[in-house]
Structures are given as structure tokens and as C-alpha cells.
Amino acid sequence: MKYESRKFIDLIQGITSKWANWDPQKTIHVGDYGMINNATGEFEWEGNIYTTNNIGDIDLTDQALHPIEAGGEDRFVIKSWGVTTWEADTTAETTVPSTTNVALKVKFRFDGGKRAAAMVVYRPIYISLPKDERIIEMFKSRPEVLKGKYIVTEVIRCPAYMMYMSTDRAEEFSVTLHATEATAPAADDGGTSGLTWFSESNYGICRQGSDSSMIYTPLYRLKAPRNKFWLPWSQR
């Protein structure tokens, strides 16, 4: 029997080609390397490629080699087979002047018959390795450390997330994210000083986090170079 974490991670990975972090408070960084626990599906950290300033002729203090950050989306909603999602109109819920606004409301319908998964990521920030040939050269120069390992090439961070895995029964429910406005808007968070999830009763496993002062890591992408990657060109 699979661990609940492994089942959820497999469902999300099958849809997005990204790995779900069962404990998003556990920070995962671009450049981390390690193994995947076959039983739980969780990433087991062993090190990070950026811990050394120089590898051969490659200077890792060069800003061009540092991870690239991008954002722009307000939310990222993921659903596996058998799940329908739609966002509710929150206009009526925000017309009355208040320091609390509905930032996001998503409704879910699970068809039942088999287990399914869904995830909501609020204001995702994408951080990834740069497209630079020196990164590949750096990998190749460390086969004794990286061969047979997974390398984190991208992470998605956010101030709020919700993960849900259903049972095999049909159900419908919704989740709402409330944002409390700061009295004096801060430059780094758009004036939001608090985030709180509210969800209806459900039958499955629901995990969530919301804190505008904290950054969660609910998703990441892994790369495992094939064996021939480590061979000289003449032997491929």
C-alpha cells in the first residue's frame, strides 16, 4: 500500500511533470540534489551545486549563473483526472468596505470511483536554473557527486497553498482565501498583511498554509541525467 504522500505526489506529477512537496514549509532550493524516497515520494536532500564558489574554470559567483526568478500569475490551479474546478465570482463578497477581501475562491467537483488530487497555489513565483552551457559543464565536472542523483532545476514558491486528495467517493466543496489588507500598504506584498484559508467539510486529506510573511515551496521540478550524459562524446 502506498503512503498517502506518494499517491498525491504521483497524481500531481502525472499532470504537471512537477513534484509536489508534501510539506511545503520545508524549503527546497534550485540546485539542490539528492534522491527520492520510493515509499513516500519525498525529496531527500544531499547538497546543492551552488555551495562551491568555483568548479574548474566556472565561477559560480557570476550572477549570470544564478537562478532566475519570474512571476506574474495570480494563481495556479492543478487537478488530476476526475476533478472539475471553477472559480466562483467573488464580486458580491467584496463590495462591502472591509479590511478583509476574498482573494480567491475555487470550487471542486470530484467524480468519485477513484482517488484524485487538486492543488491551488496563490501568487506563484517561479525560480529556475538559467539556460547557460556552463551549468551543463558544471554538472559534467562532478560525476562523483551528481551521477545517479536528482537535481532540482525549478521551484515554485508562494505565500499560500492548498492541497487536497479525495477518497473514492464523489463530492463537491469549495475553498476560499481571505486577505487582510494592511493599513499602510507595504511595497513587497501589495498591502496584504494576512492570508487565511476557509474550506467546507470534505472527506479526503486537506493540507494548507497561508502566511504573507512566509514563503512555501509546494512544487518543484527534477532532472536526472541519463547514464550516457556522463560519457565522453566518443563513447556515446
Side-chain angles (χ1 to χ4, degrees):
M1 180 178 178
K2 284 186 177 181
Y3 279 81
E4 300 287 10
S5 58
R6 182 79 213 209
K7 180 63 177 177
F8 179 84
I9 291 167
D10 286 348
L11 287 169
I12 296 298
Q13 202 269 341
I15 295 296
T16 65
S17 297
K18 294 179 174 63
W19 294 73
N21 183 5
W22 188 243
D23 182 11
Q25 294 188 56
K26 175 184 175 183
T27 303
I28 297 175
H29 298 279
V30 169
D32 283 350
Y33 59 85
M35 300 297 292
I36 290 294
N37 185 305
N38 288 330
T40 66
E42 296 178 278
F43 179 71
E44 296 182 338
W45 182 90
E46 294 185 18
N48 188 286
I49 62 173
Y50 289 102
T51 55
T52 303
N53 287 337
N54 296 289
I55 298 178
D57 296 329
I58 302 173
D59 180 8
L60 288 180
T61 63
D62 184 347
Q63 289 296 316
L65 295 177
H66 287 197
I68 299 170
E69 183 175 314
E73 290 181 314
D74 194 45
R75 75 285 315 268
F76 182 25
V77 180
I78 304 166
K79 57 185 178 180
S80 68
W81 179 91
V83 184
T84 302
T85 64
W86 64 97
E87 295 186 32
D89 182 5
T90 61
T91 304
E93 300 179 58
T94 59
T95 53
V96 178
S98 172
T99 58
T100 301
N101 293 318
V102 176
L104 177 67
K105 185 172 185 178
V106 182
K107 292 186 177 182
F108 298 89
R109 178 186 294 124
F110 290 81
D111 295 341
K114 63 190 301 184
R115 304 193 75 174
M119 177 184 285
V120 180
V121 180
Y122 180 64
R123 291 185 177 176
I125 299 170
Y126 299 82
I127 305 172
S128 60
L129 286 173
K131 295 181 179 180
D132 192 302
E133 292 183 0
R134 290 174 294 173
I135 295 292
I136 302 300
E137 293 176 18
M138 181 175 59
F139 291 168
K140 288 181 177 293
S141 68
R142 305 186 69 187
E144 74 287 351
V145 174
L146 299 176
K147 190 174 182 179
K149 305 294 173 60
Y150 287 94
I151 304 167
V152 178
T153 60
E154 179 188 48
V155 299
I156 297 179
R157 293 182 177 163
C158 66
Y161 71 91
M162 191 287 302
M163 306 189 304
Y164 184 74
M165 185 165 66
S166 71
T167 61
D168 59 0
R169 63 190 299 177
E171 62 174 317
E172 289 188 19
F173 73 96
S174 64
V175 293
T176 305
L177 182 65
H178 289 266
T180 303
E181 295 180 354
T183 54
D188 61 343
D189 62 7
T192 298
S193 62
L195 295 167
T196 306
W197 285 107
F198 290 94
S199 60
E200 298 174 352
S201 299
N202 47 65
Y203 301 106
I205 299 173
C206 185
R207 298 168 71 91
Q208 59 193 36
S210 55
D211 188 339
S212 59
S213 64
M214 183 175 180
I215 296 296
Y216 300 99
T217 311
L219 291 164
Y220 59 99
R221 189 187 295 274
L222 294 174
K223 179 74 173 181
R226 298 179 180 179
N227 289 333
K228 67 178 184 179
F229 174 84
W230 307 104
L231 297 174
W233 283 105
S234 60
Q235 298 180 29
R236 295 187 183 183

